[in-house]
Amino acid sequence: MAAAEPGRLELALEDVDLAEAEELWTDDDAADHAGWFCVATDPFPCPAPGCAFVAEFMTAAHLILVWEERDDPNLLRHAARAKQVGRNPRVVDYEPSFGPSASYYAWEAAGRPVHAVRGS
Ligand SMILES: [Zn+2]
């Protein structure tokens, strides 16, 4: 295999639009979460500035958070918090047609990434 061409690589990186360079986190272990549970909520816009994504489930970085057990204490805690802010949470069976999912535990292990809400 030929050696990499450092000069070309640098050029390629400079071509990247910085606004597009930020990648949303994905659950690398994205197994089929069918049969897991997620929390449907009233539509809730992504808190990242300028993002048009509207979540209809409890999400992180646009991925639907799923739990293996519907009485998982973390699920109940997040649902309770959503209720407090008027998001009308309902625990439902997750179906892949809802959209991409991420295991709550993988998300937590990854440091709870969210879509670019910049701290002040
Ligand atoms: Zn977003």
Side-chain angles (χ1 to χ4, degrees):
M1 192 183 280
E5 301 177 66
R8 285 189 65 143
L9 182 59
E10 265 174 40
L11 255 180
L13 288 175
E14 280 171 10
D15 285 343
V16 174
D17 180 347
L18 286 179
E20 301 287 334
E22 172 188 291
E23 288 183 27
L24 292 175
W25 174 75
T26 55
D27 182 357
D28 290 334
D29 188 27
D32 180 2
H33 291 129
W36 287 40
F37 299 93
C38 62
V39 181
T41 70
D42 288 351
F44 187 80
C46 177
C51 181
F53 179 81
V54 177
E56 294 183 349
F57 296 90
M58 201 166 286
T59 60
H62 300 189
L63 299 169
I64 299 171
L65 289 173
V66 292
W67 288 264
E68 197 160 16
E69 307 288 342
R70 84 181 293 143
D71 59 353
D72 186 299
N74 280 306
L75 185 162
L76 298 176
R77 187 163 52 86
H78 282 273
R81 194 175 298 162
K83 196 168 187 173
Q84 282 172 9
V85 296
R87 285 179 63 180
N88 188 27
R90 288 92 65 197
V91 180
V92 297
D93 293 354
Y94 170 75
E95 293 176 20
S97 61
F98 292 169
S101 65
S103 148
Y104 175 81
Y105 305 101
W107 176 66
E108 192 171 47
R112 302 174 175 228
V114 295
H115 184 194
V117 182
R118 300 194 193 288
S120 51

